[in-house]
Amino acid sequence: MYTGFLKLEEKGEEFTNNTKYRSVVGALMYIATCARPDIATSTSILGRSFETPKEGDWTAAKRVVRYLKGTADWRLRLGGEAACKLEVFSDSDWAGDPRTRKSMTGYVLFFGGGAVTWTSRRQDCVSLSSMEAEYVALGEACQEVMSTRQLLQDLGEK
């Protein structure tokens, strides 16, 4: 997705085929949820304009589809390491949405070298600093780690 996409003005011609836009973005959401965490943020941003998509939104959606076509051989690697350790990486932006001034949270959780859960979504609160946005993102990632650790413990995994 174009890095300055959110900074573009919302003015522009309305996309006439809402069904087509919703179909493409819905398919991208499915792919982002099931297999491709690298498009989660772009898909989340595109999903914000389900009601009244603009031509720019349609162009951005086609760009994500072209990206997927060019990286069709990319795969999630599940497992592969002898030591099954739990790792998590989190990040956020600060006031990345110019309309609401809310930040985005993203994290990915690895177990045994393979990505098992991930998310990219808008934070519920408005952060007053970049540090606060990072703290909120880290808190959400820690919640995911704690629930995953409990699940692994229930399954008998240390």
Side-chain angles (χ1 to χ4, degrees):
M1 182 170 248
Y2 171 62
T3 54
F5 180 76
L6 286 176
K7 293 179 177 60
L8 294 175
E9 289 188 29
E10 291 184 26
K11 296 176 183 173
E13 292 184 31
E14 227 176 271
F15 187 63
T16 54
N17 195 343
N18 284 1
T19 306
K20 190 174 187 179
Y21 180 80
R22 290 177 184 184
S23 176
V24 169
V25 174
L28 290 174
M29 285 181 180
Y30 177 78
I31 293 167
T33 302
C34 295
R36 295 293 298 266
D38 53 330
I39 65 165
T41 300
S42 299
T43 305
S44 172
I45 292 168
L46 291 171
R48 295 177 194 169
S49 53
F50 257 19
E51 280 302 310
T52 55
K54 307 284 185 206
E55 286 290 337
D57 297 323
W58 176 243
T59 303
K62 290 191 300 186
R63 185 177 178 144
V64 174
V65 172
R66 280 194 306 271
Y67 169 79
L68 286 174
K69 185 178 178 185
T71 58
D73 57 335
W74 288 15
R75 303 282 186 265
L76 282 177
R77 186 182 67 150
L78 300 174
E81 291 184 11
C84 289
K85 65 180 181 176
L86 199 59
E87 293 179 297
V88 66
F89 299 93
S90 73
D91 195 16
S92 72
D93 69 353
W94 178 48
D97 188 347
R99 286 180 279 167
T100 63
R101 306 308 295 165
K102 290 186 177 181
S103 306
M104 290 287 290
T105 289
Y107 62 81
V108 61
L109 189 132
F110 293 90
F111 180 68
V116 290
T117 63
W118 57 84
T119 193
S120 175
R121 63 181 200 83
R122 207 175 345 183
Q123 293 180 356
D124 294 329
C125 59
V126 176
S127 300
L128 300 177
S129 68
S130 60
M131 182 64 183
E132 185 180 356
E134 294 286 348
Y135 179 76
V136 171
L138 186 60
E140 291 181 21
C142 285
Q143 288 175 357
E144 185 69 27
V145 167
M146 296 306 290
S147 63
T148 303
R149 283 182 65 186
Q150 185 62 49
L151 175 65
L152 289 171
Q153 185 178 356
D154 292 345
L155 295 173
E157 187 68 39
K158 291 183 180 177

